[in-house]
Amino acid sequence: MDEYIESYLESRSEKSSGNTIAAYRRDLTAFRDFFARRGKNHPCEISLSDANYYVKDMKEDLTCATIKRRMSVLRTFYAFLVDGGVCESNPFAKVKSETYDTHEIAILTKREVEELLSQPSVFDFKGIRDKAMLEMLYATGMRVSELLALDLGDVNTKTGIVVCRSAKRERTIALYPIASRSLKNYIETARYLLNGSDTQTALFLNVDGGRMTRQGFWKILKNYAESAGITRNISPHTLRHSFAAHLLENGADAKDVQEIMGNLGSATIKEYIKYLKVKSKDELIKHHPRAKSF
């Protein structure tokens, strides 16, 4: 992959500034690393479904503007490869723009979060598991892929610590007491009932005793959102965005939030701050004594 990236950048160097080339390199390196972690190291191995999956993953953390820029770079990168006879087709040319053009960071209000987290029943094993998953997401700001990749050995309910590992780094996150208790309850009761094998290492399991999937979690979240009366569309990473926005709203330092969330991009942090400014303005207008004056 590196050979083709360097050839592409060289072909653009005469028409683009140094800063632009550096931005192209960052975008293509992120693309390369994403698929390298999935065992795909040649650009021609990437299919349309892979391209759509990559866009879906980017939407978890990146702003619409950043996604558009990356898509533009990837389209021209593959056009370069097709023209050079390296690849037969350009998978990113076929990705529909509406899959990312309407991207907005969805943030729940604190009341909506409370309603959502109160939905799982603590009287059956699936509800106990679901409660622990939702509390963990809101407590840590993890990506849902990171949550579902956790193994039993990655958590310590006595200290309330969870170790989150990604391809590039490892970070340790402290859980608030409710999340820690929910996790402890799940491990000691529901997980035991779900675990069909003593060799299963996954922390969160489905009803078949296997590792919970993103699709399975999405369905669970959708059902609880409906029962909580949340009418707008939310996705698994909505709790991640809400976690960050609420921390910032309560006075947390932006750099600390970035670190906790795994070096979250500064562009996304700016989107959270923009949301809080709009919210602050709305609250001022709503509660100002002369706001309803005629």
Side-chain angles (χ1 to χ4, degrees):
M1 184 79 79
D2 288 339
E3 174 188 349
Y4 299 112
I5 290 175
E6 291 304 321
S7 296
Y8 167 75
L9 294 176
E10 185 178 349
S11 73
R12 306 283 295 186
S13 60
E14 293 185 3
K15 299 180 180 180
S16 305
S17 68
N19 288 337
T20 299
I21 293 297
Y24 288 169
R25 187 185 301 278
R26 286 193 297 271
D27 289 339
L28 291 171
T29 298
F31 162 74
R32 177 202 66 192
D33 293 346
F34 179 85
F35 284 105
R37 293 193 293 270
R38 287 154 181 78
K40 296 191 175 186
N41 297 294
H42 194 283
C44 299
E45 293 180 306
I46 310 304
S47 65
L48 175 58
S49 61
D50 291 326
N52 281 317
Y53 183 77
Y54 185 52
V55 171
K56 182 178 180 181
D57 187 84
M58 286 193 291
K59 288 175 70 174
E60 290 198 7
D61 292 318
L62 304 180
T63 63
C64 183
T66 301
I67 296 173
K68 286 182 178 181
R69 190 196 68 232
R70 285 196 180 182
M71 290 297 292
S72 177
V73 173
L74 287 167
R75 285 195 181 101
T76 57
F77 173 60
Y78 270 92
F80 169 78
L81 297 179
V82 171
D83 290 342
V86 178
C87 298
E88 293 183 357
S89 63
N90 183 342
F92 287 91
K94 300 176 182 178
V95 175
K96 296 180 179 179
S97 61
E98 55 262 31
T99 61
Y100 55 89
D101 276 348
T102 57
H103 170 64
E104 293 181 357
I105 292 180
I107 297 174
L108 298 176
T109 66
K110 293 176 184 178
R111 178 173 293 181
E112 286 176 325
V113 170
E114 291 297 327
E115 285 295 323
L116 181 66
L117 297 183
S118 69
Q119 295 308 307
S121 170
V122 294
F123 299 107
D124 67 77
F125 65 93
K126 287 192 290 186
I128 292 172
R129 176 203 61 193
D130 299 346
K131 171 75 170 175
M133 289 194 297
L134 293 176
E135 289 282 2
M136 282 278 287
L137 273 188
Y138 186 59
T140 63
M142 284 184 181
R143 299 171 179 86
V144 67
S145 57
E146 293 173 331
L147 176 80
L148 301 182
L150 289 175
D151 288 330
L152 192 59
D154 293 329
V155 298
N156 186 325
T157 56
K158 291 183 179 180
T159 59
I161 293 294
V162 56
V163 178
C164 179
R165 297 180 176 88
S166 63
K168 293 184 178 180
R169 65 194 299 272
E170 175 180 304
R171 64 190 191 277
T172 301
I173 309 172
L175 301 175
Y176 51 66
I178 295 176
S180 187
R181 289 196 298 270
S182 295
L183 180 61
K184 184 175 186 290
N185 186 34
Y186 161 69
I187 292 173
E188 294 180 351
T189 59
R191 188 182 182 280
Y192 176 79
L193 296 173
L194 289 165
N195 190 5
S197 169
D198 293 335
T199 61
Q200 176 59 265
T201 61
L203 176 60
F204 290 111
L205 308 176
N206 57 32
V207 292
D208 296 321
R211 188 181 294 272
M212 174 67 68
T213 65
R214 292 178 82 169
Q215 293 82 359
F217 181 83
W218 191 92
K219 291 179 181 178
I220 290 170
L221 177 63
K222 182 179 179 181
N223 288 334
Y224 287 131
E226 290 178 354
S227 62
I230 300 173
T231 56
R232 52 200 172 110
N233 290 328
I234 67 171
S235 64
H237 53 271
T238 299
L239 282 175
R240 174 172 165 84
H241 294 321
S242 302
F243 162 87
H246 295 166
L247 281 183
L248 292 169
E249 186 177 7
N250 287 343
D253 183 80
K255 290 184 178 180
D256 291 338
V257 174
Q258 284 181 286
E259 177 67 21
I260 292 170
M261 298 181 74
N263 287 330
L264 185 71
S266 58
T268 306
I269 287 289
K270 289 178 182 178
E271 286 292 317
Y272 297 145
I273 294 173
K274 178 181 176 182
Y275 159 81
L276 293 176
K277 286 182 178 179
V278 172
K279 180 181 177 183
S280 178
K281 179 181 177 181
D282 290 344
E283 288 297 307
L284 174 63
I285 293 173
K286 179 180 178 181
H287 295 291
H288 194 283
R290 291 185 61 80
K292 296 181 180 179
S293 298
F294 294 96

